[in-house]
Amino acid sequence: MPTLHDLRHAHTLHLEAVIAFLIAQSGCYQRFGPGAGRCLHEDDRRQVAALAQAVGWERIGIYLTLVSVRTLQRWHRTLVMGAVTPTKPPGRPRTDPTIEAHVVRLAQENAWGNDAWGRKRIAGELAKLGIPLSPSTVQAIMRRRGVPPAPQRGAPRAGPAFVLGDPEHAVGIDFVQLPIETPVGWVWWFLVVAIDHASRRTAVVAATDQPDADFVLQVARDLTMAETGFLAQVGATHLIIDRDTKWTAAFRATVAAAGFTVQRIPPCCPWWNGRVERVIRTLRVQVLSKVLIAQPEQLLELFSAYLEHYHHERPHQALGNRCPVPLYGPQPAGPIVRRERLDGLLNHYERTAA
């Protein structure tokens, strides 16, 4: 039976171990800051783990703030005791690449609308074909191959299927409505903006404060001119328009008579003409929301400067961060300087000769 002297001696040893551990823990915080637990060297981990074991694993949690008790125990096993961390046993073999290709094909070919095939539907279809796969395996294959899940892959859309033909040879056009402050009050101006889907080349086809039938008919003639029309310049075969009543039957007939296919998007589906909608939004956010236009001439000058920036200076993610019409290739050397347009509203950077 331990004597009182033995109990006092054990208590003294425990207090000394606690004090040594607290000093070591405080030193770690002083050296590495609040995130010291993630910055310790191997010698620091070995020292802290040995001191913690001397305090006792049942009591060390009272004083420990550096890491968790389980982490300290792992450090003690590997660094103090020299135990080898067991390796994870090998899992199930990977699915055959041919079967993975079938999964990706079914997911991509059935991604239309809000009833896009999910993992369970694909697993059931494969079972019919004699390829037993669990839904979780199908989900893992799609995640590994970069195929999004069904709710993201098949956006809910109303209306019939919209077949564009060859989207690489299509041009989308739309109206931009802008207020101009004149001496007699605010006047609304309308600009027709066109964008080529393949090259992202953009043009302001026409501008007016009276977008009547005669104006729209002249827009059709300007677009379809044999050599100077925007459709001929970019080699387009399709023209995408929304269902705005400004695009009259005469406009569509004039474009069709010139040999171009007019595609009207379904009702209430602006995303079918999404590229021109996106460039209009970019224009509004980057320029139009920051300036006050007082004259129509200023509006045309602003658009001219913006299109120069848009074509020659602004990288486009859809083009691999390249400009639609680059003026020069990558510049590997030379000081980097800023080039401004519109008094600093638009900036780009280039290298100059040293």
Side-chain angles (χ1 to χ4, degrees):
M1 184 174 181
T3 63
L4 181 61
H5 175 74
D6 295 335
L7 294 176
R8 288 178 176 176
H9 180 67
H11 181 65
T12 301
L13 293 178
H14 176 72
L15 289 179
E16 292 176 352
V18 170
I19 293 172
F21 174 80
L22 292 176
I23 292 175
Q25 182 174 248
S26 177
C28 294
Y29 281 122
Q30 292 177 1
R31 291 169 54 197
F32 299 103
R38 301 187 299 271
C39 306
L40 297 182
H41 303 306
E42 189 171 292
D43 292 339
D44 300 321
R45 295 176 180 180
R46 183 182 296 106
Q47 178 188 14
V48 172
L51 294 175
Q53 194 272 339
V55 175
W57 300 120
E58 296 82 4
R59 300 180 181 179
I60 191 62
I62 303 174
Y63 315 102
L64 178 62
T65 59
L66 196 62
V67 291
S68 65
V69 177
R70 294 184 61 182
T71 300
L72 275 183
Q73 290 175 336
R74 176 167 52 83
W75 290 354
H76 187 269
R77 286 195 306 269
T78 57
L79 300 178
V80 179
M81 303 300 296
V84 179
T85 304
T87 58
K88 183 179 179 180
R92 297 178 59 184
R94 186 167 176 173
T95 308
D96 185 83
T98 304
I99 298 179
E100 291 193 3
H102 291 322
V103 172
V104 175
R105 176 186 175 185
L106 293 180
Q108 292 177 343
E109 293 180 352
N110 299 276
W112 166 259
N114 57 3
D115 58 342
W117 286 14
R119 55 192 179 95
K120 294 182 179 180
R121 179 66 176 86
I122 294 175
E125 192 70 20
L126 290 174
K128 288 169 45 181
L129 304 173
I131 305 176
L133 281 183
S134 66
S136 59
T137 302
V138 172
Q139 183 181 27
I141 292 172
M142 292 194 296
R143 185 184 299 115
R144 187 163 56 244
R145 293 296 190 93
V147 180
Q152 302 174 16
R153 183 163 23 96
R157 295 169 178 171
F162 179 61
V163 181
L164 180 61
D166 186 0
E168 295 300 321
H169 296 84
V171 167
I173 62 173
D174 200 1
F175 277 96
V176 183
Q177 186 176 358
L178 303 172
I180 297 180
E181 187 179 13
T182 65
V184 297
W186 291 94
V187 176
W188 287 100
W189 268 70
F190 299 81
L191 281 76
V192 179
V193 177
I195 181 172
D196 175 40
H197 285 193
S199 65
R200 297 304 193 272
R201 289 182 57 185
T202 306
V204 176
V205 181
T208 184
D209 59 345
Q210 297 292 334
D212 52 16
D214 293 336
F215 169 78
V216 174
L217 190 59
Q218 184 59 43
V219 169
R221 298 191 186 102
D222 294 340
L223 284 171
T224 58
M225 292 183 68
E227 296 181 357
T228 59
F230 185 73
L231 296 178
Q233 290 179 0
V234 299
T237 59
H238 292 68
L239 181 66
I240 306 176
I241 60 175
D242 57 21
R243 292 183 174 267
D244 193 331
T245 55
K246 297 184 185 68
W247 305 120
T248 61
F251 169 87
R252 300 194 299 272
T254 302
V255 175
F260 300 96
T261 302
V262 179
Q263 296 282 359
R264 301 181 70 190
I265 66 175
C268 304
C269 297
W271 53 82
W272 288 121
N273 204 8
R275 288 188 173 94
V276 69
E277 296 283 356
R278 186 63 179 88
V279 74
I280 291 174
R281 179 192 171 190
T282 302
L283 175 65
R284 290 186 182 278
V285 171
Q286 294 186 351
V287 179
L288 298 179
S289 63
K290 304 175 183 178
V291 298
L292 182 62
I293 303 171
Q295 297 176 359
E297 293 77 10
Q298 294 178 348
L299 178 64
L300 297 178
E301 291 177 1
L302 183 147
F303 267 83
S304 177
Y306 177 77
L307 291 181
E308 286 290 325
H309 172 76
Y310 190 85
H311 288 149
H312 306 304
E313 301 165 356
R314 182 182 183 273
H316 290 243
Q317 295 182 9
L319 300 178
N321 275 334
R322 293 180 291 105
C323 299
V325 188
L327 297 179
Y328 43 77
Q331 301 170 300
I336 298 177
V337 296
R338 183 178 72 166
R339 304 299 189 192
E340 297 182 357
R341 288 187 184 272
L342 301 177
D343 294 331
L345 288 182
L346 302 174
N347 297 313
H348 83 282
Y349 298 83
E350 63 182 29
R351 294 184 184 271
T352 60

